[in-house]
């Protein structure tokens, strides 16, 4: 996407990587400003715009990922297909499609809005706080996944029963069940009653 003063990362003068800026919102999802990504996640957290993607294969199985061990927030835990933050001024749908391709090397064959959910989830391991106004998306993926190893440690397609077993046995992101439950009506519409979601 082209950068502008609104969307361009703020550069650091000390040679550090440019700061990633997030869009701060009020309780209704209206933009009220910006904040640096890590600062927005420091306790008590600043409410910011985010997105979560749930992609399914033709058999109705959900693609989940284990976050790379090198990530500063929630490393090594399982989560939904893709999640992240739009750049300031970037449409959530555009950000969801962009980030899915960046992390997983695929573009959804179908991607549809599935509502929003607002939550506040402290992460006890990192001490960071997910204070988010999250835009949900569901869709289909038909291409072979080619994850970026700096972002994704592992991927797997799961049925509802397989997800329940994995969720009971392995750590998942603090926000996973909140966003999954909020997206369930759209997921059921996408996968049909036989999908079991």
């Amino acid at each position: 996407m082209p950068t502008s003063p609104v969307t361009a990362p703020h550069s650091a003068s000390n040679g550090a990587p440019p700061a990633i800026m997030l869009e701060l919102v009020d309780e209704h999802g209206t933009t009220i400003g910006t904040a640096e990504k890590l600062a927005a996640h420091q306790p008590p957290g600043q409410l910011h715009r985010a997105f979560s993607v749930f992609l399914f294969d033709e058999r109705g199985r959900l693609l989940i990922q284990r976050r790379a061990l090198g990530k500063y927030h929630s490393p090594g835990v399982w989560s939904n297909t893709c999640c992240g933050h739009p750049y300031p001024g970037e449409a959530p749908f555009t950000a969801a499609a962009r980030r899915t391709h960046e992390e997983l090397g695929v573009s959804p064959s179908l991607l549809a809005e599935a509502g929003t959910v607002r939550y506040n989830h402290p992460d006890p391991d990192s001490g960071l706080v997910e204070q988010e106004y999250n835009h949900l998306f569901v869709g289909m993926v038909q291409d072979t996944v080619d994850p970026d190893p700096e972002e994704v440690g592992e991927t797997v397609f799961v049925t509802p029963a397989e997800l329940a077993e994995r969720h009971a046995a392995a750590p998942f992101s603090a926000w996973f069940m909140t966003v999954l439950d909020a997206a369930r009506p759209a997921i059921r519409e996408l996968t049909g009653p036989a999908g079991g979601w």
Side-chain angles (χ1 to χ4, degrees):
M1 86 178 220
T3 58
S4 70
V6 172
T7 59
H10 292 239
S11 59
S13 58
N14 61 0
I20 297 172
M21 303 302 290
L22 306 186
E23 195 169 87
L24 300 180
V25 300
D26 65 16
E27 295 291 338
H28 306 287
T30 302
T31 302
I32 58 172
T34 60
E36 190 275 326
K37 182 178 179 182
L38 185 56
H41 289 86
Q42 297 289 343
Q46 294 175 279
L47 184 60
H48 58 273
R49 196 176 308 284
F51 64 83
S52 290
V53 177
F54 296 85
L55 296 182
F56 295 82
D57 66 9
E58 293 178 348
R59 294 167 52 188
R61 298 179 303 168
L62 172 61
L63 175 62
I64 59 173
Q65 65 157 284
R66 187 173 59 81
R67 294 165 61 87
L69 293 174
K71 293 183 79 73
Y72 78 89
H73 190 355
S74 302
V77 302
W78 287 93
S79 199
N80 49 293
T81 307
C82 180
C83 55
H85 309 92
Y87 294 128
E90 182 183 26
F93 183 93
T94 302
R98 170 183 58 79
R99 198 69 191 133
T100 299
H101 189 268
E102 290 172 356
E103 288 192 12
L104 298 164
V106 294
S107 295
S109 57
L110 170 72
L111 190 64
E113 294 183 9
T116 59
V117 62
R118 191 261 196 255
Y119 53 79
N120 178 2
H121 286 304
D123 177 34
D125 292 331
S126 68
L128 300 176
V129 177
E130 288 291 359
Q131 184 89 250
E132 294 187 329
Y133 187 93
N134 197 307
H135 297 256
L136 307 171
F137 298 92
V138 300
M140 303 289 294
V141 62
Q142 295 174 313
D143 296 331
T144 302
V145 178
D146 183 22
D148 176 352
E150 292 189 9
E151 298 287 343
V152 180
E154 186 178 353
T155 62
V156 65
F157 284 94
V158 293
T159 65
E162 290 166 343
L163 177 62
E165 290 175 9
R166 192 174 289 267
H167 191 261
F172 273 68
S173 64
W175 61 88
F176 176 75
M177 287 309 300
T178 299
V179 292
L180 175 63
D181 287 344
R184 279 187 198 274
I187 290 171
R188 290 179 182 131
E189 187 175 334
L190 177 72
T191 60
W197 293 101

